[in-house]
Amino acid sequence: VQLQAFGGGLVQAGGSLMLSCAASGRTFSSYGMGWFRQAPGKEREFVAATKWSGDSTRYADSVKGRFTISRDNAENTVYLQMNNLKPEDTAVYYCAADRIRRRSNTVVESGAYNTWGQGTLVTVSS
């Protein structure tokens, strides 16, 4: 699987953005997908994840109620809808694919993901 993330940009606080991550390869639907972010000077952190089947999701506490992860297995794409953005959401956002096919749970640890997209920059101005 190869991943390409896009949709980042500059937005004012309180605004919305939708990130997309397009995957190549016919086995996309068998892998859990995650979004992570890395702000300047900080370590990469978990944002959201969806199970391969799409029937389970997990979120970081900092984004719960504001961000929604979804996937369209027919389109080989995973999305991250971000609403009510805050300046602290400013970061490079990365999508990633789980290393284990059809994992039974939804994982938040970055080490569980072995394929990463190139990242897309989200800047939220105050």
Side-chain angles (χ1 to χ4, degrees):
V1 176
Q2 292 184 322
L3 306 174
Q4 183 174 7
F6 49 95
L10 174 64
V11 64
Q12 289 187 331
S16 298
L17 279 176
M18 174 177 275
L19 304 183
S20 301
C21 176
S24 63
R26 293 177 291 177
T27 58
F28 169 80
S29 60
S30 297
Y31 293 92
M33 297 294 297
W35 285 97
F36 292 77
R37 67 186 181 187
Q38 187 166 18
K42 296 187 177 181
E43 294 188 352
R44 184 170 55 192
E45 65 175 1
F46 168 75
V47 176
T50 175
K51 189 177 173 181
W52 63 271
S53 55
D55 61 356
S56 174
T57 57
R58 294 182 67 178
Y59 297 92
D61 288 343
S62 58
V63 307
K64 278 182 183 176
R66 300 189 298 120
F67 291 12
T68 302
I69 187 171
S70 61
R71 65 188 299 158
D72 185 339
N73 285 342
E75 296 292 331
N76 280 9
T77 303
V78 62
Y79 304 96
L80 185 68
Q81 176 65 46
M82 306 184 295
N83 297 327
N84 190 21
L85 283 159
K86 303 176 181 181
E88 52 264 42
D89 294 318
T90 295
V92 177
Y93 283 71
Y94 300 90
C95 59
D98 194 344
R99 64 174 64 246
I100 294 179
R101 189 169 179 261
R102 298 199 178 198
R103 189 192 294 264
S104 60
N105 58 321
T106 307
V107 294
V108 305
E109 294 80 12
S110 62
Y113 296 84
N114 67 341
T115 301
W116 294 81
Q118 83 287 5
T120 184
L121 176 63
V122 173
T123 304
V124 184
S125 63
S126 58

mmCIF file of all heavy atoms in Angstrom, residues 50-83:
data_model
loop_
_atom_site.group_PDB
_atom_site.id
_atom_site.type_symbol
_atom_site.label_atom_id
_atom_site.label_comp_id
_atom_site.label_asym_id
_atom_site.label_seq_id
_atom_site.Cartn_x
_atom_site.Cartn_y
_atom_site.Cartn_z
ATOM 1 N N THR A 50 -9.206 4.268 12.425
ATOM 2 C CA THR A 50 -10.386 3.488 12.078
ATOM 3 C C THR A 50 -9.966 2.055 11.788
ATOM 4 O O THR A 50 -8.938 1.811 11.178
ATOM 5 C CB THR A 50 -11.109 4.093 10.857
ATOM 6 O OG1 THR A 50 -12.195 3.230 10.483
ATOM 7 C CG2 THR A 50 -10.179 4.240 9.651
ATOM 8 N N LYS A 51 -10.762 1.123 12.250
ATOM 9 C CA LYS A 51 -10.526 -0.281 11.985
ATOM 10 C C LYS A 51 -10.681 -0.561 10.494
ATOM 11 O O LYS A 51 -11.322 0.219 9.775
ATOM 12 C CB LYS A 51 -11.531 -1.104 12.784
ATOM 13 C CG LYS A 51 -11.308 -2.594 12.803
ATOM 14 C CD LYS A 51 -12.360 -3.249 13.696
ATOM 15 C CE LYS A 51 -12.291 -4.761 13.618
ATOM 16 N NZ LYS A 51 -13.325 -5.405 14.472
ATOM 17 N N TRP A 52 -10.114 -1.651 10.029
ATOM 18 C CA TRP A 52 -10.162 -1.979 8.605
ATOM 19 C C TRP A 52 -11.600 -2.042 8.095
ATOM 20 O O TRP A 52 -11.880 -1.674 6.946
ATOM 21 C CB TRP A 52 -9.456 -3.317 8.347
ATOM 22 C CG TRP A 52 -10.114 -4.498 9.022
ATOM 23 C CD1 TRP A 52 -9.870 -4.972 10.281
ATOM 24 C CD2 TRP A 52 -11.141 -5.337 8.496
ATOM 25 N NE1 TRP A 52 -10.668 -6.048 10.556
ATOM 26 C CE2 TRP A 52 -11.463 -6.302 9.490
ATOM 27 C CE3 TRP A 52 -11.823 -5.380 7.274
ATOM 28 C CZ2 TRP A 52 -12.435 -7.282 9.281
ATOM 29 C CZ3 TRP A 52 -12.783 -6.346 7.067
ATOM 30 C CH2 TRP A 52 -13.074 -7.282 8.079
ATOM 31 N N SER A 53 -12.530 -2.475 8.953
ATOM 32 C CA SER A 53 -13.922 -2.607 8.545
ATOM 33 C C SER A 53 -14.689 -1.294 8.632
ATOM 34 O O SER A 53 -15.809 -1.188 8.129
ATOM 35 C CB SER A 53 -14.614 -3.649 9.415
ATOM 36 O OG SER A 53 -14.453 -3.313 10.781
ATOM 37 N N GLY A 54 -14.100 -0.310 9.285
ATOM 38 C CA GLY A 54 -14.774 0.979 9.414
ATOM 39 C C GLY A 54 -15.795 1.051 10.526
ATOM 40 O O GLY A 54 -16.415 2.100 10.727
ATOM 41 N N ASP A 55 -15.954 -0.031 11.291
ATOM 42 C CA ASP A 55 -16.998 -0.042 12.318
ATOM 43 C C ASP A 55 -16.483 0.267 13.711
ATOM 44 O O ASP A 55 -17.209 0.094 14.696
ATOM 45 C CB ASP A 55 -17.733 -1.388 12.309
ATOM 46 C CG ASP A 55 -16.801 -2.559 12.600
ATOM 47 O OD1 ASP A 55 -15.585 -2.338 12.741
ATOM 48 O OD2 ASP A 55 -17.296 -3.697 12.673
ATOM 49 N N SER A 56 -15.256 0.720 13.770
ATOM 50 C CA SER A 56 -14.688 1.111 15.055
ATOM 51 C C SER A 56 -13.715 2.256 14.821
ATOM 52 O O SER A 56 -12.918 2.221 13.885
ATOM 53 C CB SER A 56 -13.958 -0.074 15.704
ATOM 54 O OG SER A 56 -13.280 0.327 16.874
ATOM 55 N N THR A 57 -13.807 3.268 15.665
ATOM 56 C CA THR A 57 -12.900 4.403 15.560
ATOM 57 C C THR A 57 -12.400 4.789 16.951
ATOM 58 O O THR A 57 -13.042 4.491 17.958
ATOM 59 C CB THR A 57 -13.592 5.629 14.925
ATOM 60 O OG1 THR A 57 -14.755 5.960 15.699
ATOM 61 C CG2 THR A 57 -13.996 5.352 13.495
ATOM 62 N N ARG A 58 -11.259 5.463 16.975
ATOM 63 C CA ARG A 58 -10.710 5.979 18.225
ATOM 64 C C ARG A 58 -10.133 7.353 17.958
ATOM 65 O O ARG A 58 -9.671 7.645 16.841
ATOM 66 C CB ARG A 58 -9.629 5.041 18.782
ATOM 67 C CG ARG A 58 -10.166 3.684 19.204
ATOM 68 C CD ARG A 58 -9.093 2.807 19.796
ATOM 69 N NE ARG A 58 -8.602 3.320 21.083
ATOM 70 C CZ ARG A 58 -7.686 2.702 21.816
ATOM 71 N NH1 ARG A 58 -7.155 1.561 21.389
ATOM 72 N NH2 ARG A 58 -7.279 3.201 22.953
ATOM 73 N N TYR A 59 -10.166 8.200 18.979
ATOM 74 C CA TYR A 59 -9.707 9.566 18.839
ATOM 75 C C TYR A 59 -8.841 9.963 20.034
ATOM 76 O O TYR A 59 -9.055 9.490 21.161
ATOM 77 C CB TYR A 59 -10.896 10.534 18.761
ATOM 78 C CG TYR A 59 -11.768 10.315 17.550
ATOM 79 C CD1 TYR A 59 -12.878 9.472 17.596
ATOM 80 C CD2 TYR A 59 -11.480 10.962 16.357
ATOM 81 C CE1 TYR A 59 -13.666 9.268 16.487
ATOM 82 C CE2 TYR A 59 -12.272 10.771 15.236
ATOM 83 C CZ TYR A 59 -13.362 9.923 15.308
ATOM 84 O OH TYR A 59 -14.142 9.726 14.201
ATOM 85 N N ALA A 60 -7.930 10.864 19.768
ATOM 86 C CA ALA A 60 -7.205 11.492 20.869
ATOM 87 C C ALA A 60 -8.180 12.388 21.627
ATOM 88 O O ALA A 60 -9.104 12.956 21.037
ATOM 89 C CB ALA A 60 -6.041 12.319 20.328
ATOM 90 N N ASP A 61 -7.980 12.511 22.912
ATOM 91 C CA ASP A 61 -8.882 13.333 23.713
ATOM 92 C C ASP A 61 -8.934 14.774 23.211
ATOM 93 O O ASP A 61 -9.980 15.435 23.280
ATOM 94 C CB ASP A 61 -8.427 13.324 25.176
ATOM 95 C CG ASP A 61 -8.682 11.987 25.858
ATOM 96 O OD1 ASP A 61 -9.487 11.183 25.334
ATOM 97 O OD2 ASP A 61 -8.080 11.735 26.914
ATOM 98 N N SER A 62 -7.825 15.238 22.680
ATOM 99 C CA SER A 62 -7.749 16.640 22.254
ATOM 100 C C SER A 62 -8.610 16.953 21.039
ATOM 101 O O SER A 62 -8.887 18.126 20.763
ATOM 102 C CB SER A 62 -6.290 17.018 21.952
ATOM 103 O OG SER A 62 -5.766 16.170 20.942
ATOM 104 N N VAL A 63 -9.034 15.925 20.312
ATOM 105 C CA VAL A 63 -9.816 16.162 19.094
ATOM 106 C C VAL A 63 -11.219 15.566 19.158
ATOM 107 O O VAL A 63 -12.009 15.771 18.230
ATOM 108 C CB VAL A 63 -9.088 15.631 17.849
ATOM 109 C CG1 VAL A 63 -7.673 16.194 17.765
ATOM 110 C CG2 VAL A 63 -9.072 14.113 17.805
ATOM 111 N N LYS A 64 -11.526 14.849 20.216
ATOM 112 C CA LYS A 64 -12.853 14.239 20.335
ATOM 113 C C LYS A 64 -13.937 15.288 20.241
ATOM 114 O O LYS A 64 -13.854 16.345 20.859
ATOM 115 C CB LYS A 64 -12.968 13.494 21.669
ATOM 116 C CG LYS A 64 -12.371 12.111 21.676
ATOM 117 C CD LYS A 64 -12.569 11.429 23.011
ATOM 118 C CE LYS A 64 -11.905 10.070 23.049
ATOM 119 N NZ LYS A 64 -12.006 9.425 24.378
ATOM 120 N N GLY A 65 -14.964 14.972 19.454
ATOM 121 C CA GLY A 65 -16.069 15.895 19.286
ATOM 122 C C GLY A 65 -15.833 16.942 18.218
ATOM 123 O O GLY A 65 -16.758 17.663 17.828
ATOM 124 N N ARG A 66 -14.609 17.048 17.726
ATOM 125 C CA ARG A 66 -14.293 18.026 16.683
ATOM 126 C C ARG A 66 -13.854 17.363 15.383
ATOM 127 O O ARG A 66 -14.140 17.862 14.305
ATOM 128 C CB ARG A 66 -13.184 18.965 17.167
ATOM 129 C CG ARG A 66 -13.525 19.743 18.403
ATOM 130 C CD ARG A 66 -12.467 20.813 18.713
ATOM 131 N NE ARG A 66 -11.146 20.249 18.983
ATOM 132 C CZ ARG A 66 -10.047 20.524 18.274
ATOM 133 N NH1 ARG A 66 -10.105 21.364 17.269
ATOM 134 N NH2 ARG A 66 -8.886 19.970 18.604
ATOM 135 N N PHE A 67 -13.161 16.251 15.490
ATOM 136 C CA PHE A 67 -12.635 15.543 14.308
ATOM 137 C C PHE A 67 -13.413 14.249 14.095
ATOM 138 O O PHE A 67 -13.828 13.597 15.060
ATOM 139 C CB PHE A 67 -11.163 15.200 14.488
ATOM 140 C CG PHE A 67 -10.207 16.366 14.474
ATOM 141 C CD1 PHE A 67 -10.653 17.681 14.558
ATOM 142 C CD2 PHE A 67 -8.845 16.146 14.366
ATOM 143 C CE1 PHE A 67 -9.770 18.752 14.548
ATOM 144 C CE2 PHE A 67 -7.947 17.197 14.353
ATOM 145 C CZ PHE A 67 -8.420 18.501 14.456
ATOM 146 N N THR A 68 -13.553 13.866 12.833
ATOM 147 C CA THR A 68 -14.198 12.607 12.495
ATOM 148 C C THR A 68 -13.382 11.895 11.429
ATOM 149 O O THR A 68 -13.093 12.478 10.374
ATOM 150 C CB THR A 68 -15.621 12.836 11.963
ATOM 151 O OG1 THR A 68 -16.393 13.540 12.945
ATOM 152 C CG2 THR A 68 -16.294 11.504 11.646
ATOM 153 N N ILE A 69 -13.029 10.658 11.714
ATOM 154 C CA ILE A 69 -12.327 9.837 10.726
ATOM 155 C C ILE A 69 -13.339 8.920 10.052
ATOM 156 O O ILE A 69 -14.263 8.404 10.689
ATOM 157 C CB ILE A 69 -11.194 9.012 11.382
ATOM 158 C CG1 ILE A 69 -10.360 8.306 10.316
ATOM 159 C CG2 ILE A 69 -11.730 8.032 12.417
ATOM 160 C CD1 ILE A 69 -9.108 7.648 10.859
ATOM 161 N N SER A 70 -13.186 8.754 8.753
ATOM 162 C CA SER A 70 -14.057 7.854 8.013
ATOM 163 C C SER A 70 -13.259 7.259 6.861
ATOM 164 O O SER A 70 -12.181 7.743 6.536
ATOM 165 C CB SER A 70 -15.288 8.599 7.486
ATOM 166 O OG SER A 70 -14.908 9.644 6.606
ATOM 167 N N ARG A 71 -13.808 6.225 6.270
ATOM 168 C CA ARG A 71 -13.122 5.613 5.144
ATOM 169 C C ARG A 71 -14.127 5.156 4.111
ATOM 170 O O ARG A 71 -15.272 4.819 4.430
ATOM 171 C CB ARG A 71 -12.272 4.432 5.616
ATOM 172 C CG ARG A 71 -13.030 3.253 6.187
ATOM 173 C CD ARG A 71 -12.082 2.220 6.800
ATOM 174 N NE ARG A 71 -11.164 1.690 5.811
ATOM 175 C CZ ARG A 71 -9.999 1.113 6.115
ATOM 176 N NH1 ARG A 71 -9.611 1.011 7.379
ATOM 177 N NH2 ARG A 71 -9.222 0.633 5.162
ATOM 178 N N ASP A 72 -13.677 5.146 2.887
ATOM 179 C CA ASP A 72 -14.466 4.651 1.768
ATOM 180 C C ASP A 72 -13.615 3.584 1.101
ATOM 181 O O ASP A 72 -12.712 3.898 0.322
ATOM 182 C CB ASP A 72 -14.802 5.786 0.801
ATOM 183 C CG ASP A 72 -15.714 5.351 -0.328
ATOM 184 O OD1 ASP A 72 -15.769 4.134 -0.614
ATOM 185 O OD2 ASP A 72 -16.354 6.212 -0.935
ATOM 186 N N ASN A 73 -13.871 2.344 1.428
ATOM 187 C CA ASN A 73 -13.035 1.264 0.909
ATOM 188 C C ASN A 73 -13.197 1.096 -0.601
ATOM 189 O O ASN A 73 -12.279 0.618 -1.266
ATOM 190 C CB ASN A 73 -13.345 -0.039 1.629
ATOM 191 C CG ASN A 73 -12.763 -0.065 3.037
ATOM 192 O OD1 ASN A 73 -11.866 0.712 3.363
ATOM 193 N ND2 ASN A 73 -13.281 -0.946 3.872
ATOM 194 N N ALA A 74 -14.326 1.483 -1.127
ATOM 195 C CA ALA A 74 -14.515 1.397 -2.578
ATOM 196 C C ALA A 74 -13.630 2.407 -3.304
ATOM 197 O O ALA A 74 -13.224 2.177 -4.452
ATOM 198 C CB ALA A 74 -15.976 1.626 -2.929
ATOM 199 N N GLU A 75 -13.342 3.528 -2.624
ATOM 200 C CA GLU A 75 -12.506 4.573 -3.218
ATOM 201 C C GLU A 75 -11.073 4.526 -2.704
ATOM 202 O O GLU A 75 -10.262 5.382 -3.047
ATOM 203 C CB GLU A 75 -13.110 5.951 -2.923
ATOM 204 C CG GLU A 75 -14.470 6.179 -3.550
ATOM 205 C CD GLU A 75 -14.388 6.250 -5.070
ATOM 206 O OE1 GLU A 75 -13.329 6.676 -5.609
ATOM 207 O OE2 GLU A 75 -15.375 5.855 -5.728
ATOM 208 N N ASN A 76 -10.767 3.541 -1.837
ATOM 209 C CA ASN A 76 -9.412 3.436 -1.265
ATOM 210 C C ASN A 76 -8.969 4.740 -0.611
ATOM 211 O O ASN A 76 -7.823 5.186 -0.790
ATOM 212 C CB ASN A 76 -8.388 3.028 -2.346
ATOM 213 C CG ASN A 76 -8.412 1.551 -2.635
ATOM 214 O OD1 ASN A 76 -9.290 0.826 -2.167
ATOM 215 N ND2 ASN A 76 -7.469 1.089 -3.438
ATOM 216 N N THR A 77 -9.862 5.343 0.137
ATOM 217 C CA THR A 77 -9.570 6.644 0.722
ATOM 218 C C THR A 77 -10.023 6.696 2.175
ATOM 219 O O THR A 77 -11.090 6.163 2.518
ATOM 220 C CB THR A 77 -10.257 7.769 -0.075
ATOM 221 O OG1 THR A 77 -9.830 7.704 -1.446
ATOM 222 C CG2 THR A 77 -9.895 9.132 0.485
ATOM 223 N N VAL A 78 -9.220 7.330 2.994
ATOM 224 C CA VAL A 78 -9.602 7.607 4.377
ATOM 225 C C VAL A 78 -9.610 9.126 4.547
ATOM 226 O O VAL A 78 -8.798 9.832 3.942
ATOM 227 C CB VAL A 78 -8.647 6.923 5.376
ATOM 228 C CG1 VAL A 78 -7.231 7.439 5.237
ATOM 229 C CG2 VAL A 78 -9.140 7.095 6.797
ATOM 230 N N TYR A 79 -10.560 9.604 5.339
ATOM 231 C CA TYR A 79 -10.771 11.032 5.498
ATOM 232 C C TYR A 79 -10.603 11.431 6.960
ATOM 233 O O TYR A 79 -10.809 10.631 7.874
ATOM 234 C CB TYR A 79 -12.175 11.421 5.043
ATOM 235 C CG TYR A 79 -12.502 11.031 3.629
ATOM 236 C CD1 TYR A 79 -13.192 9.854 3.346
ATOM 237 C CD2 TYR A 79 -12.125 11.843 2.564
ATOM 238 C CE1 TYR A 79 -13.486 9.491 2.055
ATOM 239 C CE2 TYR A 79 -12.430 11.481 1.256
ATOM 240 C CZ TYR A 79 -13.105 10.311 1.010
ATOM 241 O OH TYR A 79 -13.404 9.951 -0.280
ATOM 242 N N LEU A 80 -10.291 12.692 7.144
ATOM 243 C CA LEU A 80 -10.304 13.276 8.484
ATOM 244 C C LEU A 80 -11.003 14.629 8.371
ATOM 245 O O LEU A 80 -10.441 15.588 7.836
ATOM 246 C CB LEU A 80 -8.899 13.448 9.040
ATOM 247 C CG LEU A 80 -8.845 13.951 10.491
ATOM 248 C CD1 LEU A 80 -9.380 12.879 11.438
ATOM 249 C CD2 LEU A 80 -7.421 14.339 10.880
ATOM 250 N N GLN A 81 -12.243 14.665 8.839
ATOM 251 C CA GLN A 81 -12.995 15.913 8.872
ATOM 252 C C GLN A 81 -12.643 16.630 10.159
ATOM 253 O O GLN A 81 -12.830 16.084 11.252
ATOM 254 C CB GLN A 81 -14.492 15.633 8.801
ATOM 255 C CG GLN A 81 -15.356 16.881 8.929
ATOM 256 C CD GLN A 81 -15.185 17.843 7.774
ATOM 257 O OE1 GLN A 81 -15.189 17.429 6.615
ATOM 258 N NE2 GLN A 81 -15.022 19.132 8.068
ATOM 259 N N MET A 82 -12.155 17.841 10.039
ATOM 260 C CA MET A 82 -11.717 18.618 11.202
ATOM 261 C C MET A 82 -12.570 19.872 11.320
ATOM 262 O O MET A 82 -12.554 20.715 10.418
ATOM 263 C CB MET A 82 -10.236 18.982 11.061
ATOM 264 C CG MET A 82 -9.338 17.783 10.820
ATOM 265 S SD MET A 82 -7.585 18.204 10.783
ATOM 266 C CE MET A 82 -7.543 19.241 9.311
ATOM 267 N N ASN A 83 -13.305 19.959 12.393
ATOM 268 C CA ASN A 83 -14.167 21.111 12.644
ATOM 269 C C ASN A 83 -13.688 21.860 13.883
ATOM 270 O O ASN A 83 -12.966 21.322 14.720
ATOM 271 C CB ASN A 83 -15.612 20.659 12.845
ATOM 272 C CG ASN A 83 -16.188 19.990 11.628
ATOM 273 O OD1 ASN A 83 -15.853 20.326 10.489
ATOM 274 N ND2 ASN A 83 -17.075 19.023 11.845
#
